[in-house]
Amino acid sequence: MSGIRTAREEEFDRVFSLMERSFPPDEYRGYDGQRALLREPAYTIYVDPDEGDIPRGFVTVWQFDDFAFVEHLATEPSCRGQGRGSAILHELSGRLGCRIVLEVELPETEIAARRIEFYRRNGFVTNDYPYIQPAYSVEKHALPLILMTTDGPVSQTEFRSIRDALYRTVYRVKEEIKNA
C-alpha cells in the first residue's frame, strides 16, 4: 500500500468520473463547480494510487479550525471490499489529527445501512440531531442526512457549530435551512 497523496490537477477528470459513478446526482456538484473547488485553500482532494500511481480511490476534505469534513470518499468498484476505504480513512485521520465529520444517508436502504456500519467500524458515531444537506444547485435537491463524527458524539451546541460552518463554507448557504 502506497498511501494517499494530494491529487494532481490533471487527475481531476478521473476523480470526477469516479464521483459520478459512486454518488447520486444530488450528492455532488456539477463538473465546473467541483473543479472550481481546486482553488479553495480549505479544500483538498487526496487520491489512493495503485502501484502504477493511478488513482483507484479518493477522498475530498474541507479543513476547518477544529475539525475536518470529508465531503466524498470513493474507491473504484474493482477495489471495493478490499479494505482500501478503511486504509484511506485511517491514513487521513493520522494525517489530519483532528475530529473528522462526514454525512451519510439515512439507513433506509441496505446499502445505506452498510455504509453507516462501515463508518462505525472505522471509529465514527452517528449524531442524532436533524440535519439537512443543502442543495448543491437549483437543479439539485436538499437531502435529509446524518452527521457522523470521530472522537465520539457531539453536543447539540457543537453540532450546530459544525452544521453552520458546513452551510457557510461547503454549501454557501446564506440563511438557515428550516428544520435543520
Side-chain angles (χ1 to χ4, degrees), residues 59-62 68-73 89 92 100-103:
V59 59
T60 62
V61 179
W62 290 86
F69 174 61
V70 168
E71 189 172 14
H72 299 102
L73 168 66
L89 285 173
L92 184 69
I100 299 175
V101 177
L102 54 80
E103 302 163 334

Side-chain angles (χ1 to χ4, degrees), residues 30-92:
Y31 181 89
D32 292 336
Q34 203 69 47
R35 189 169 182 85
L37 294 179
L38 297 176
R39 294 186 302 271
E40 289 285 338
Y43 181 81
T44 305
I45 300 173
Y46 296 98
V47 294
D48 176 36
D50 65 14
E51 292 73 29
D53 204 35
I54 309 259
R56 61 185 165 188
F58 74 91
V59 59
T60 62
V61 179
W62 290 86
Q63 188 67 55
F64 291 87
D65 290 339
D66 53 352
F67 71 94
F69 174 61
V70 168
E71 189 172 14
H72 299 102
L73 168 66
T75 58
E76 287 288 349
S78 63
C79 297
R80 293 181 186 157
Q82 299 174 15
R84 294 306 322 146
S86 293
I88 291 169
L89 285 173
H90 180 75
E91 187 173 343
L92 184 69

Side-chain angles (χ1 to χ4, degrees), residues 11 15 17 25 40 50 59 84 87 101 127 138 146 152 157 161 170:
E11 294 172 319
V15 168
S17 173
E40 289 285 338
D50 65 14
V59 59
R84 294 306 322 146
V101 177
N127 291 278
V138 294
I146 297 169
T157 301
S161 176
V170 176

Side-chain angles (χ1 to χ4, degrees), residues 169-180:
T169 304
V170 176
Y171 298 104
R172 311 280 198 246
V173 174
K174 303 236 186 303
E175 54 193 68
E176 187 175 326
I177 293 181
K178 302 287 186 229
N179 301 321

Side-chain angles (χ1 to χ4, degrees), residues 73-125:
L73 168 66
T75 58
E76 287 288 349
S78 63
C79 297
R80 293 181 186 157
Q82 299 174 15
R84 294 306 322 146
S86 293
I88 291 169
L89 285 173
H90 180 75
E91 187 173 343
L92 184 69
S93 178
R95 186 177 286 206
L96 298 175
C98 64
R99 167 173 270 148
I100 299 175
V101 177
L102 54 80
E103 302 163 334
V104 292
E105 296 168 89
L106 302 176
E108 297 172 342
T109 65
E110 182 182 338
I111 195 162
R114 283 194 343 236
R115 193 171 291 121
I116 290 169
E117 285 309 310
F118 164 78
Y119 287 118
R120 282 188 176 138
R121 286 192 310 273
N122 283 283
F124 287 81
V125 297

